[in-house]
Amino acid sequence: MSHRGRTRSPSGPSALAWALWTLSIGLSVGQQCPLPAVPLNSRVSLSSSTPGVGATATYSCDDGYELFGSISLPCVQQGSRAVWQGDLPFCGTNVAYRKPANQSSSMRGGAAPNAVDGDKEVIHDGKRCTETGREPSPWWRVDLLREYPVRAVRLTSRGCCGHQLLQDLEIRVGNSSDLQRNPLCAWYPGTIDEGTTKIFTCARPIVGRHVAVQMVGVEGSLSLCEVEVFTTDEFSNERCVPSGVVQEGSESAVFSRTCYEFHTTKGASYEQARASCRRVPGGDLLHAPGTAHNGFVLSELERRKPKLKTQLVWLGATRDPGYTSRTWRWVNGEAVGKPVWGKDQPNNYNGEQNCVVLDGGRGWQWNDVGCNLDYLHWVCQHQPAACGSPDRNLNTSIAGGDHVVGKSITYSCPEGHMLVGNATRECLNTGFWSGVAPTCKYVDCGSIKAPEHGSVQMLSGRTTHGALAEVTCESNYTLKGDAKKKCGDEGVWSGEEPQCLFAWCPEPPEVAGGRVEMTGRKAGSTATYKCQAGFILLGEAVLTCGLGGTWSGRAPECRFVDCGAPANTFHGRVELLNATTTAGSVARYECEADYWLEGDSIITCGLDGKWSAHTPSCELITCEEPEVPNGGFVIGYDFNVHSRIEYHCEPGHLLRGEPTRECNSNGEWSSRAPSCQYVDCGKFSPVPYGSVKLLNDTTYVNSEVEFSCVRNYRLSGGQAHRVCQEDGSWSGSTPRCEEIRCPEPVLAEHAILSVTGNDRAYGRTLIRTAAESNANSAATYKISAQAKYRCERGYRLIGEGLRTCEESGIWSGGVPQCECKYKNQE
Ligand SMILES: *[C@@H]1O[C@H](CO)[C@@H](O)[C@H](O)[C@H]1NC(C)=O
Ligand SMILES: *[C@@H]1O[C@H](CO)[C@@H](O)[C@H](O)[C@H]1NC(C)=O
Ligand SMILES: *[C@@H]1O[C@H](CO)[C@@H](O)[C@H](O)[C@H]1NC(C)=O
Ligand SMILES: *[C@@H]1O[C@H](CO)[C@@H](O)[C@H](O)[C@H]1NC(C)=O
Ligand SMILES: *[C@@H]1O[C@H](CO)[C@@H](O)[C@H](O)[C@H]1NC(C)=O
Ligand SMILES: *[C@@H]1O[C@H](CO)[C@@H](O)[C@H](O)[C@H]1NC(C)=O
Ligand SMILES: *[C@@H]1O[C@H](CO)[C@@H](O)[C@H](O)[C@H]1NC(C)=O
């Protein structure tokens, strides 16, 4: 394949070579032919890789296609150019083979299908050719079963011996079964010799389903040994069996861009048949036929019918599972739209007929059968695995040689040409390429006029499509527009028309109180102004050097600004942080100890010559009025810094926390405010034979109580005086009131005692001897009980004989003694 897409560069070692090439083109204009066009399903070979005048382009077709037209074209000089001379041939495939045929009448075994049986033998032998009776304008016709663009029809006439010659032929192609209504593909007024083959090419492709041959205005018999109808719009049977091996016992056929395999010599069950189909990638049992496909398959089955062992042929559809299901589904998962049931079908005999066949006994309509019947014929279908050789227009070349379904090829044009259309085409699963082949258009943008003060470099050394150029300007000139240029589709250079504009700016203007810094003086350079201390900048600080050599805008102004000394404040002082009072200077205020600042401590001198805020004041630090706890009060009237206050609690309350606080220099009171806690020890329950006296009439903390007993009783245990303590309990413990009683009176020796009590227990008079009395000392006696003493016989009482139990619990007087009256006698 010739390669003209060389890249050329005006510089470097190849510059000379390029110059020589340009020179040679100039001297012998158009000496080389462009890349030739190639029709679909065809390949070209050139006699030279750089085909000059005299070279040839020779075409050959893919397997299964035949070439019509000139097999090779010469490269010839035409005016100033070299061109391929002649019409492009085409590669077509025969679509009439085994299609249904008919004729005006049939004689002597000359049935109409004999002309499409693939047998070109010219000796009729009673079965090889067609033959009509003698009649006016006899005709023969084939039904292609779908519309094809018909390019050519090839007739083979009958040979020996003496049958009427073919003459005054009209070949018509169209959609009507009434042949006279269809347009004429070709006509032939003369006679055709016996046993010859003649090609009739339609002046232009005619799209039609029926092709008819008629001897017009002749009374005679029409006999044809073979009729072939060629189109480029179908792929060849060879593409269906890429390996070239047809499965044993099957026959392959192409119709409407689909491959079919007829298995009509053997028998198989549904599953076996399906497995046989699926051995081809993407293959499966016959399914989802459109009307045309259906017609083709039925016509093929009908043609084979006499030789079939059974007239039942599996269809790739099954009944959905479920006893009552009435839905049938194709093997590709789609539901069957409208099943074509034969008479009395479906009957689902025994409830197990879940497969379906085309039934020759029922005019090839549907019949449901059991899937296990293993003697049925079947038909497979699949899509081809590859596309044919792609077509190419003049000057185009193709990258990517993979013609497998799903792969893409990319077209390109020679240098200086623009590609019109889509550069990529994909091999579709129909076996055809997507879209249409693109074309090339020669585009020349012409030279670029250099702008004033500028020049143009042709980077690609040419001015045709895709060429690059660059525009540059003299020094002190700047380019406006696009520097990089490309020759585009419309034959114009891309981008804005370039201009070279003067661009050298003068020194930027000076500004009083300021200075300027420049990045340069060319276009795009900047001048940046800065003001001295105390000066502020008014206006734009940055000027840009523009095209035409002028600075943008106006230079700014530097203005002096001073705010003067900031005001003093009582109890405070002010500090100038920058030691200046000009714009941007900062002053800071501070207060004496114990004073704080109200207002802003920092003020700034503004551009308006004023300080940013009012003069702040220094105020004596004070604390807020202190909080007073419940049950308490505060003594202290001055809340200024360092002042002290005292907290006190009401009676009954205890102070918890610090009793004194001081106002600190942060304006806060020291410590936390104390609290007053009320403490109450509670009341007493009554004391038997006694009473409690609240000395302060209260029971809260520090209150005092006193206990006392009724007459003849006295306190015992506990404390008579108790105080309410801080923990809420009374001190000590509660005393009891105990009756005052006298003990058993003491008896002297030889004395006798009688006690008269007023008790219930001792309310009688007891007489006791000393021994008894001293032994039983547990007895006691109420106050005012009386004890009378006597002495035994012979003894006289010394002391008071009557004792009374007194309020002190003691018998009055002393213990009387008994003295022997005869003491001295002893
Ligand atoms: C074939 O042609 C004959 C004669 O014109 C006609 O009667 C017959 O119906 C045709 N058959 C078909 C299938 O078209
Ligand atoms: C036949 O039908 C096709 C599709 O409808 C149409 O494109 C074509 O032009 C028809 N052919 C003729 C000869 O009218
Ligand atoms: C060109 O064709 C490819 C393959 O068919 C397709 O994917 C793509 O979208 C097309 N591009 C344009 C611009 O039409
Ligand atoms: C093909 O290329 C040749 C040489 O560049 C040019 O003269 C001619 O116009 C081109 N033809 C087409 C159809 O692009
Ligand atoms: C052009 O530019 C050069 C510096 O590159 C400068 O010295 C010269 O003055 C410029 N010429 C004019 C005319 O401004
Ligand atoms: C003054 O001093 C402050 C703090 O140091 C600084 O931020 C400010 O820019 C100075 N102002 C001038 C005018 O120098
Ligand atoms: C209670 O009364 C007593 C006697 O009058 C007195 O000494 C004491 O201070 C009083 N206590 C309180 C808390 O008033």
Side-chain angles (χ1 to χ4, degrees), residues 452-502:
E452 238 185 297
H453 305 293
S455 60
V456 176
Q457 285 81 46
M458 301 309 297
L459 299 179
S460 312
R462 57 189 176 90
T463 59
T464 51
H465 192 262
L468 298 176
E470 189 170 14
V471 180
T472 49
C473 292
E474 294 167 8
S475 65
N476 297 2
Y477 287 84
T478 297
L479 186 101
K480 184 167 173 278
D482 296 295
K484 301 268 181 194
K485 300 267 159 195
K486 189 172 184 180
C487 178
D489 292 350
E490 265 70 61
V492 290
W493 292 98
S494 66
E496 231 182 288
E497 177 155 352
Q499 275 179 283
C500 288
L501 297 179
F502 182 67

Side-chain angles (χ1 to χ4, degrees), residues 273-310:
R274 192 157 182 226
S276 129
C277 293
R278 287 163 71 114
R279 80 187 197 287
V280 177
D284 215 322
L285 276 173
L286 178 67
H287 61 275
T291 46
H293 294 58
N294 205 26
F296 169 72
V297 172
L298 297 192
S299 117
E300 278 293 296
L301 293 176
E302 190 64 20
R303 191 172 63 74
R304 291 154 199 262
K305 199 168 172 181
K307 291 188 202 148
L308 297 182
K309 292 201 182 80
T310 167

Side-chain angles (χ1 to χ4, degrees), residues 251-543:
E251 254 180 323
S252 113
V254 173
F255 182 72
S256 202
R257 301 184 171 191
T258 302
C259 300
Y260 294 90
E261 239 176 37
F262 291 85
H263 295 258
T264 52
T265 56
K266 290 192 292 186
S269 70
Y270 175 83
E271 283 308 330
Q272 290 164 341
R274 192 157 182 226
S276 129
C277 293
R278 287 163 71 114
R279 80 187 197 287
V280 177
D284 215 322
L285 276 173
L286 178 67
H287 61 275
T291 46
H293 294 58
N294 205 26
F296 169 72
V297 172
L298 297 192
S299 117
E300 278 293 296
L301 293 176
E302 190 64 20
R303 191 172 63 74
R304 291 154 199 262
K305 199 168 172 181
K307 291 188 202 148
L308 297 182
K309 292 201 182 80
T310 167
Q311 294 186 3
L312 302 181
V313 177
W314 290 118
L315 263 180
T318 51
R319 191 198 304 272
D320 268 1
Y323 190 70
T324 55
S325 174
R326 297 171 72 180
T327 306
W328 289 80
R329 207 169 283 285
W330 296 115
V331 284
N332 65 7
E334 282 169 32
V336 175
K338 212 173 165 199
V340 196
W341 294 113
K343 196 170 178 308
D344 305 329
Q345 297 296 331
N347 55 359
N348 197 10
Y349 180 73
N350 264 351
E352 55 190 27
Q353 298 196 326
N354 296 324
C355 285
V356 63
V357 295
L358 294 170
D359 187 345
R362 289 181 164 81
W364 298 113
Q365 288 187 320
W366 292 24
N367 183 356
D368 59 341
V369 299
C371 302
N372 291 334
L373 301 184
D374 61 359
Y375 56 90
L376 272 49
H377 300 317
W378 70 98
V379 179
C380 301
Q381 70 180 66
H382 71 267
Q383 291 307 128
C387 288
S389 301
D391 48 327
R392 272 163 33 188
N393 287 311
L394 197 62
N395 284 337
T396 59
S397 55
I398 292 178
D402 206 344
H403 296 172
V404 172
V405 168
K407 297 279 183 185
S408 293
I409 49 172
T410 306
Y411 289 80
S412 57
C413 290
E415 192 174 79
H417 292 249
M418 152 195 173
L419 187 127
V420 181
N422 193 336
T424 58
R425 293 176 83 187
E426 192 190 342
C427 176
L428 305 177
N429 79 340
T430 56
F432 281 81
W433 297 99
S434 67
V436 294
T439 58
C440 293
K441 188 178 149 196
Y442 181 74
V443 172
D444 192 344
C445 290
S447 57
I448 302 181
K449 192 171 149 273
E452 238 185 297
H453 305 293
S455 60
V456 176
Q457 285 81 46
M458 301 309 297
L459 299 179
S460 312
R462 57 189 176 90
T463 59
T464 51
H465 192 262
L468 298 176
E470 189 170 14
V471 180
T472 49
C473 292
E474 294 167 8
S475 65
N476 297 2
Y477 287 84
T478 297
L479 186 101
K480 184 167 173 278
D482 296 295
K484 301 268 181 194
K485 300 267 159 195
K486 189 172 184 180
C487 178
D489 292 350
E490 265 70 61
V492 290
W493 292 98
S494 66
E496 231 182 288
E497 177 155 352
Q499 275 179 283
C500 288
L501 297 179
F502 182 67
W504 184 257
C505 284
E507 287 290 337
E510 282 190 7
V511 165
R515 64 200 154 79
V516 61
E517 280 168 13
M518 273 184 293
T519 59
R521 282 166 61 192
K522 288 194 206 158
S525 299
T526 55
T528 306
Y529 285 88
K530 288 194 176 132
C531 291
Q532 293 163 11
F535 289 79
I536 57 142
L537 188 132
L538 296 178
E540 284 293 322
V542 179
L543 301 184

Side-chain angles (χ1 to χ4, degrees), residues 745-747 753 784-789 800-805 810-816:
V746 178
L747 263 187
L753 178 68
S784 76
Q786 288 195 318
K788 275 187 190 144
Y789 289 83
E800 189 59 56
L802 182 69
R803 297 178 82 185
T804 309
C805 178
I810 297 169
W811 297 99
S812 58
V815 178

Side-chain angles (χ1 to χ4, degrees), residues 35-49:
L35 280 176
V38 181
L40 185 61
N41 299 316
S42 162
R43 297 173 303 270
V44 71
S45 64
L46 300 176
S47 57
S48 154
S49 62

